Amino acid sequence: MTTNTNDKLPIVLLVDDSIDVHRLLQARLKHEQIKLMGTTKGAEALEIAERLSVGCILLDLDMPEMDGFEVLRALKERAATSNVPVIVLSGLQGSEDKVTAFDLGAADYVTKPFDLSELRARLRASLRLHQLVNLLSDRADVDGLTGLGNRAHFNKRWAEKVAECKRYGHALSLAMCDVDFFKKINDTYGHPAGDEVLQRVSGLLQAECREPDVPCRYGGEEFALIMPNTNAADGAKVAERIREAMSQVAFPRHPEHKITISIGVAGCDSTCGEMSGEKWLEIADQNLYQAKRSGRNRVVASNITPAPVMKLAG
Amino acid sequence: MTPRSHPPSAQPKGLILSEFRGDPDMVEMVELFVNELPERIKAMQEAATENNFDALKRHAHQLKGAGGGYGFPMLSTVAGALEDAITRSGIETTSASRSPQATPDEQVLTKIRQDLDELLLLCGRVRAA
């Protein structure tokens, strides 16, 4: 999702089946620094949001055909639209609906008939936050959701560390971690719950790794941990600490559901010879695959230079 | 069910003006709304005559949503009351709990008719400026 540059007005998409609401907000938001677009249909809203870079969506709940909750769910499921803040507008008064809206990933909730200055203020706040997150992501190679380095950051740092290892003969290890059954978590509890899991994992990684280590979000539910000056055996120990800590985490609203991770580690003592960074990563990935295949919730580690494979059971 | 009709000029003293009548941003919108009101009134009267409570409820719901936004909060309240009356009566065809009835209950009809009359009366008193 690209950021809007500073000189382009953010697009605000209003989704409401009432023509009156569209008219009203056109009039009331006339002086805001935004471009207001509107649709009366949820399906069309999804189509627009995927096509254009939208800054914020104002979403009515009570619509015929596709209702607001359905639209919200769909928005959060798609990569192109999942980061767009959604402010839910609703005449439905119960706090149950508010809870559902927030659980589905809404950024804010305004009841109808709305106080227009309040709506304006909340809209501005959401836009501001969205712009800051994008700015931070773009500038710092930071993954917006977890605060860890993103893939681009990982690639840079990994290349650096491999080069150092070759040059100075330092030990170096790489751990590839993957949340077990992640798709199932998303499907069962929704994407905001999945996001929360990812945030917990990244928190754990940061807590359990050491100062020189570099934790990154490598992909959807995959994390990479670069461990300089660490051989495979020690790298496996760090990985085991992380795995263990994760298996101890309880999610208050779903205490029956344990989240586990599988980890593949590949490391060297001092000379990695002709090994390339890519091949090294492949080995770590293969070990991760092994961990999954042999039952998940475990660490599989190996030296990249020929040596027996060590397996630590979970 | 036939609603009584109220000539618009019946109560000149009771004219209701929009709360936003001084607001330059809103003037056009309010005029538009007020000019469209007769259409909405007609649609509601027709729905009532045909005993089409689904349609009547939809109109009431829309008016409830719109009224306050254009500076006529009383319209929202009264339209809301009509919508609630229809919902509580369980009379709509789309209501899950509805059992097929040849003729709707008289008491229920009376309540709805009263609420509708009140709403139509209110609509008749609304002015843009």
Side-chain angles (χ1 to χ4, degrees):
Chain A
M1 205 72 202
T2 52
T3 330
N4 274 320
T5 53
N6 284 335
D7 52 359
K8 271 201 327 207
L9 295 179
I11 296 174
V12 174
L13 177 62
L14 170 61
V15 188
D16 195 307
D17 64 325
S18 157
I19 301 284
D20 296 303
V21 173
H22 286 272
R23 280 187 196 157
L24 273 168
L25 290 188
Q26 281 286 354
R28 288 305 198 181
L29 298 178
K30 198 154 63 175
H31 304 294
E32 295 298 296
Q33 298 296 303
I34 60 172
K35 178 171 186 233
L36 182 63
M37 299 181 59
T39 171
T40 52
K41 295 206 167 94
E44 204 179 280
L46 289 173
E47 196 260 323
I48 296 173
E50 284 221 56
R51 234 187 330 119
L52 304 174
S53 178
V54 174
C56 184
I57 298 175
L58 302 174
L59 178 64
D60 181 33
L61 283 188
D62 191 15
M63 297 188 289
E65 290 169 48
M66 214 180 173
D67 79 21
F69 285 139
E70 278 180 70
V71 176
L72 183 51
R73 216 173 268 125
L75 282 168
K76 292 303 171 185
E77 275 171 15
R78 302 169 185 199
T81 54
S82 61
N83 287 328
V84 179
V86 178
I87 300 179
V88 161
L89 313 172
S90 184
L92 309 170
Q93 292 292 353
S95 62
E96 243 176 65
D97 290 318
K98 287 187 191 170
V99 171
T100 307
F102 283 119
D103 278 349
L104 287 175
D108 210 340
Y109 190 106
V110 177
T111 45
K112 289 181 181 180
F114 30 74
D115 180 297
L116 281 149
S117 2
E118 188 189 331
L119 178 64
R120 261 201 297 261
R122 289 176 189 268
L123 175 59
R124 284 184 195 156
S126 278
L127 286 171
R128 225 165 25 227
L129 191 64
H130 185 53
Q131 280 164 353
L132 277 174
V133 168
N134 283 344
L135 203 67
L136 197 66
S137 279
D138 286 349
R139 280 217 187 136
D141 285 344
V142 164
D143 170 64
L145 178 68
T146 60
L148 296 180
N150 58 16
R151 167 90 69 113
H153 186 72
F154 169 80
N155 289 339
K156 263 189 278 187
R157 302 303 303 279
W158 180 235
E160 251 173 51
K161 293 303 170 193
V162 170
E164 269 173 37
C165 174
K166 287 186 197 283
R167 188 152 182 212
Y168 301 112
H170 294 165
L172 176 63
S173 280
L174 174 66
M176 297 304 287
C177 321
D178 188 291
V179 178
D180 297 329
F181 302 117
F182 188 67
K183 183 168 185 321
K184 191 148 158 265
I185 295 170
N186 269 341
D187 289 346
T188 313
Y189 302 109
H191 279 246
D195 282 355
E196 199 191 317
V197 167
L198 294 176
Q199 285 171 327
R200 293 299 283 269
V201 172
S202 72
L204 259 171
L205 275 172
Q206 287 174 316
E208 298 296 337
C209 74
R210 296 91 31 100
E211 182 61 45
D213 296 339
V214 184
C216 297
R217 183 174 178 197
Y218 190 74
E221 72 259 32
E222 204 176 348
F223 296 83
L225 180 62
I226 303 173
M227 296 176 276
N229 297 310
T230 309
N231 63 25
D234 291 336
K237 287 195 195 128
V238 175
E240 174 56 25
R241 268 207 320 262
I242 293 166
R243 185 212 61 76
E244 172 65 26
M246 192 71 223
S247 72
Q248 296 300 325
V249 169
F251 287 83
R253 272 181 303 146
H254 301 287
E256 75 288 359
H257 201 131
K258 288 291 176 207
I259 313 290
T260 59
I261 47 176
S262 302
I263 307 184
V265 181
C268 78
D269 280 304
S270 53
T271 44
C272 57
E274 293 306 306
M275 176 71 62
S276 71
E278 291 83 18
K279 187 84 181 83
W280 197 326
L281 196 151
E282 240 179 72
I283 296 176
D285 246 347
Q286 277 163 20
N287 288 346
L288 169 59
Y289 180 65
Q290 252 308 95
K292 294 275 191 189
R293 269 196 54 181
S294 55
R296 294 186 163 84
N297 189 21
R298 63 196 57 208
V299 176
V300 169
S302 67
N303 273 308
I304 54 166
T305 42
V309 171
M310 297 170 285
K311 184 186 292 187
L312 294 179
Chain B
M1 187 184 85
T2 32
R4 291 165 278 157
S5 60
H6 295 268
S9 54
Q11 313 235 316
K13 227 172 57 160
L15 288 186
I16 300 171
L17 301 179
S18 168
E19 288 178 351
F20 303 136
R21 60 188 173 280
D23 191 332
D25 285 340
M26 291 300 291
V27 161
E28 235 177 272
M29 300 280 140
V30 174
E31 261 175 36
L32 203 57
F33 175 70
V34 172
N35 290 338
E36 282 177 355
L37 260 184
E39 267 169 55
R40 296 199 201 222
I41 292 172
K42 181 151 163 269
M44 285 189 283
Q45 284 170 329
E46 272 170 20
T49 311
E50 293 162 12
N51 278 349
N52 185 348
F53 296 103
D54 293 352
L56 188 56
K57 181 175 164 182
R58 243 187 345 263
H59 288 300
H61 178 77
Q62 280 168 10
L63 213 45
K64 175 181 88 173
Y70 291 106
F72 303 108
M74 210 153 79
L75 216 52
S76 286
T77 313
V78 176
L82 173 58
E83 185 191 11
D84 282 342
I86 298 174
T87 310
R88 271 184 277 114
S89 74
I91 213 173
E92 315 144 75
T93 49
T94 48
S95 162
S97 55
R98 189 195 189 225
S99 47
Q101 298 172 64
T103 23
D105 185 86
E106 199 47 51
Q107 221 182 358
V108 158
L109 276 186
T110 307
K111 173 75 172 75
I112 292 175
R113 169 172 138 178
Q114 278 172 351
D115 287 341
L116 176 60
D117 283 341
E118 198 186 332
L119 179 60
L120 295 178
L121 179 56
L122 208 60
C123 288
R125 289 161 59 193
V126 154
R127 294 291 181 275

